[in-house]
Amino acid sequence: MPSPMIYQDLTTAALLGHAAQYHSETEIVSVSTGGEKERSCWGEVASRAQLLASALASLGLPPGARCATLAWNNRRHLEIYFAVASGGWVTHTVNPRLSVDHLRYILNDAADEVLFFDQTFLPLVAQLLPQLPTVKHVVLMESRSEAALSQLPSLLFYDDLLQQGMADYRWPQLNELTPASLCYTSGTTGRPKGVLNTHRSLVLHALSGNQPDAAGISAKDSLLPVVPMFHVNAWGTPFIAAMVGARLVLPGPHLDGDSLLQLLAAEKVTVGFGVPVIWAGLLAAMRRTEVRLPEFKRALVGGSALPPSMAEAFQRDYGIALTHAWGMTETSPIGTINTPLSKHDALPAQEQQKQRAGQGRPIFGIELQVVDVDGEPLPRDGQSQGYLQVRGHWVVEQYYGQDASALTAAGWFDTGDIGTLDANGYLVISDRAKDIIKSGGEWISTVELENIAIAHPGVRSAAAIAARHPRWDERPVLLCVRAEGGEVEETDLLSWFEKRVPKWQIPDRVIFVDALPVSATGKVLKNQLRQAYGEILMLSLIHISEPTRQAEIS
Ligand code: AMP
């Protein structure tokens, strides 16, 4: 049907073109793998992306070819994002923290033809390459290096490719349904699965995810994505930043609290995106030093539950607002963001805090429902807990390379999360379905137990798991890491819980450990903890030494 309005495909080239035309001089700060800072700008990123695309075209890459990246958040990675997608190929961001087995599986499943990588991963690439039959071109994201060549003689160099590129290269006209980027799920249970984003889904995600009541990034912001560009497109930050012409600060490989604190201060960053464990590191660093961040006003936090006590500490002690968001690889990832409605401003402070603790409400383009075990929708009353389902413009329909639909018969994606929704769509996640504790027919939220534990000043991090129990099927066991100098004991924590949850939800045991096992995307590996501690209540009469158990999971 002829359209009464101009029809233009929504593409990454359009985002980059906008940034290059109207925000050409806006700075892109990038920390290189070696730790040096490089300064460029949107205009340069756009020109280099065109040079790279032209060089890739002359390598003879067919349309739709997958180009993998094993890289930190840096300037070249940003250029690859735009060059590959806008050139009609697919940027396949790969998480280098995955096991070698998973990496091999993912790269072969995607049948990548090009592999870009940062210097850090040279040994990994040298190890993997003989088992990657589809990879034709391996590109080190650096200038030419004889030392690297001596390790991998077939190497190409990013900067050489740019020199071979043609400045007058024109982006192909792409249909907005063309695939643009590919990211695999973490695969903590089973094989990782690929989620293929289209140009349209990326642009719509950026448009909606950046509304004032959502991420709300403006041209005046300096945005630091701590969330890696190898995991769900750094929550869309490259595309959002290009769309609004924001200044980007790309942190490279050093993401510990002290390095981040220095970078945030030196670059006068105004807003950051990252998982809770990153902000826990920053908080600890701020408490140790005198460095303050007057420009750093807020951060978007998701990936796992944001402990309310951490958000309170940032706000109270440093005037930094942490905004809680929820999403997953299958939702590109932004699904909900916790920004208040006018009516919430009138609530007492404690109620407002409670409101802010949840995962927030859906952005436009995302619909949510919670259903019971039979798939029947539950009331949106903030009470009825069920299985969370989602649908929308940037939600997966089919995993990469699979024929079957990933959706229910009714067209919803089952998230694997459990939670409640209220009448305004505010979501509170209580758990992953596989993590929730089923005690005597009642559900106990591990997220809630962890939030309570972390609010204790003597605790740095905590994970609650279901341990098998002879009478109640499952009971909560809490694994805790003490805060620096914290002297808290099991009895202290159990009495801390007494005032905060009904008696039947108090953990049966609190066990202190040196560290919690964490996945490649910053989530606690509860399956490992369950393996090590899941039988502890059955075996409580047999004495098992804690060091033995800790050795088992390390
Ligand atoms: P991934 O696809 O690796 O990003 O993981 C997605 C999963 O992370 C979701 O299904 C949730 O279980 C979890 N998740 C993401 N954001 C949050 C959040 N704000 N609170 C609790 N869980 C979260």
Side-chain angles (χ1 to χ4, degrees), residues 185 188-189 193 326-331 368-371 385-391 395-396 399 406-408 412-420 427-438 443 446-447 523 530:
T185 58
T188 42
T189 52
K193 288 181 280 220
W326 168 89
M328 55 198 313
T329 310
E330 287 88 340
T331 64
L368 295 177
Q369 65 176 10
V370 285
V371 300
Q385 191 168 236
Y387 301 90
L388 179 68
Q389 299 187 337
V390 60
R391 67 182 179 194
V395 176
V396 72
Y399 286 107
L407 306 183
T408 65
W412 293 81
F413 179 76
D414 190 344
T415 64
D417 287 336
I418 288 182
T420 58
L427 167 70
V428 175
I429 298 267
S430 32
D431 245 313
R432 295 289 290 161
K434 58 185 164 43
D435 292 337
I436 203 158
I437 301 163
K438 299 175 188 97
W443 283 356
T446 63
V447 172
K523 298 181 212 294
R530 278 193 296 266

Side-chain angles (χ1 to χ4, degrees), residues 32-34 70-72 117-125 140 142 253:
S32 73
T33 307
L70 277 169
W72 304 112
F117 68 99
D118 271 332
Q119 180 81 40
T120 320
F121 307 113
L122 180 57
L124 180 63
V125 170
L140 177 59
E142 289 289 338

